[in-house]
Amino acid sequence: MGSSARTSTRGGRLRSAVNADVTLRAASADDIRAVAAIERASFGDPWSESAFDELLRSRSAIFLVATRGEEKSVAGYLIAFVFADEAEILNLAVTPAERGRGLGGELLDAGLEAVRKRGAREAFLEVRESNASALALYSSRGFSALSRRGKYYRNPVEDALVLRRVMEG
Ligand SMILES: CC(C)(COP(=O)(O)OP(=O)(O)OC[C@H]1O[C@@H](n2cnc3c(N)ncnc32)[C@H](O)[C@@H]1OP(=O)(O)O)[C@@H](O)C(=O)NCCC(=O)NCCS
């Protein structure tokens, strides 16, 4: 996977090799307000702050945030679950002003590396079929379409594509 070549560990945090001012780290309670604001800016049916709070306490969840620059404000996040040898990427978003600068790719690479380390052999996710930027990102990271879930999303109603990738190593 590209992630190990693209990131390095420093003091328990991941510093990106391609985005020198980006830091990836585990989310904490202090991040939830910023994460929920990005969520509301990104989705028509956003998760609530309490849903994110609950995920922080879940042992099965991997919850990463990306920060950029000296201010260290949260610019994106990823949440994944691992059940036995299967992982699900539950949520991924980058604040609108930061999109297209590599952060989504960094978060996805780090999330895939984290689920692989926890024993996942395959990763799954759902995505709106019209979400071209997310589909381009997932395809660039080796995901391909497995099936379709009819009218899976609300606001607006839309089918989901279920994507899958096999993890190496
Ligand atoms: C999807 C999302 C997370 C991508 O984050 P990002 O920081 O803009 O993505 P990146 O700049 O890291 O781009 C990653 C890859 O995706 C592709 N990509 C991203 N945006 C794209 C766009 N608008 N058009 C075409 N390709 C795009 C690029 O090819 C890039 O590949 P590379 O890493 O090999 O260069 C971001 O657009 C977002 O938050 N969208 C709203 C929330 C959302 O839809 N989340 C996904 C739910 S399933």
Side-chain angles (χ1 to χ4, degrees):
M1 187 174 13
S3 54
S4 47
R6 293 161 64 106
T7 54
S8 62
T9 305
R10 209 179 286 169
R13 294 180 176 193
L14 289 171
R15 185 167 293 275
S16 163
V18 286
N19 268 316
D21 57 345
V22 169
T23 301
L24 304 176
R25 60 170 171 78
S28 74
D30 290 342
D31 299 318
I32 296 301
R33 185 167 293 185
V35 164
I38 297 171
E39 171 83 4
R40 287 191 298 273
S42 300
F43 300 107
D45 53 349
W47 293 4
S48 64
E49 282 193 25
S50 59
F52 287 110
D53 256 331
E54 219 168 282
L55 282 159
L56 267 187
R57 289 189 287 274
S58 164
R59 285 176 161 228
S60 306
I62 289 161
F63 191 161
L64 301 176
V65 292
T67 64
R68 188 190 286 280
E70 289 302 310
E71 285 179 27
K72 303 284 182 213
S73 53
V74 175
Y77 57 90
L78 171 140
I79 298 169
F81 253 73
V82 181
F83 301 104
D85 59 358
E86 289 186 6
E88 169 127 25
I89 310 297
L90 290 178
N91 202 338
L92 168 65
V94 170
T95 198
E98 288 279 355
R99 288 181 194 158
R101 301 174 66 196
L103 270 186
E106 298 277 348
L107 279 161
L108 184 57
D109 290 340
L112 289 170
E113 181 66 8
V115 301
R116 191 188 61 76
K117 282 189 178 150
R118 285 207 196 172
R121 310 275 304 271
E122 297 176 288
F124 297 85
L125 58 85
E126 285 127 11
V127 56
R128 283 183 185 269
E129 65 174 345
S130 67
N131 192 343
S133 50
L135 283 165
L137 167 59
Y138 296 136
S139 143
S140 77
R141 265 55 179 190
F143 282 87
S144 55
L146 183 69
S147 60
R148 171 186 296 270
R149 295 205 169 126
K151 298 184 180 165
Y152 181 79
Y153 292 106
R154 293 176 298 159
N155 196 27
V157 172
E158 188 175 350
D159 289 1
L161 296 178
V162 180
L163 308 188
R164 169 181 176 262
R165 86 161 253 183
V166 175
M167 314 294 297
E168 304 99 35

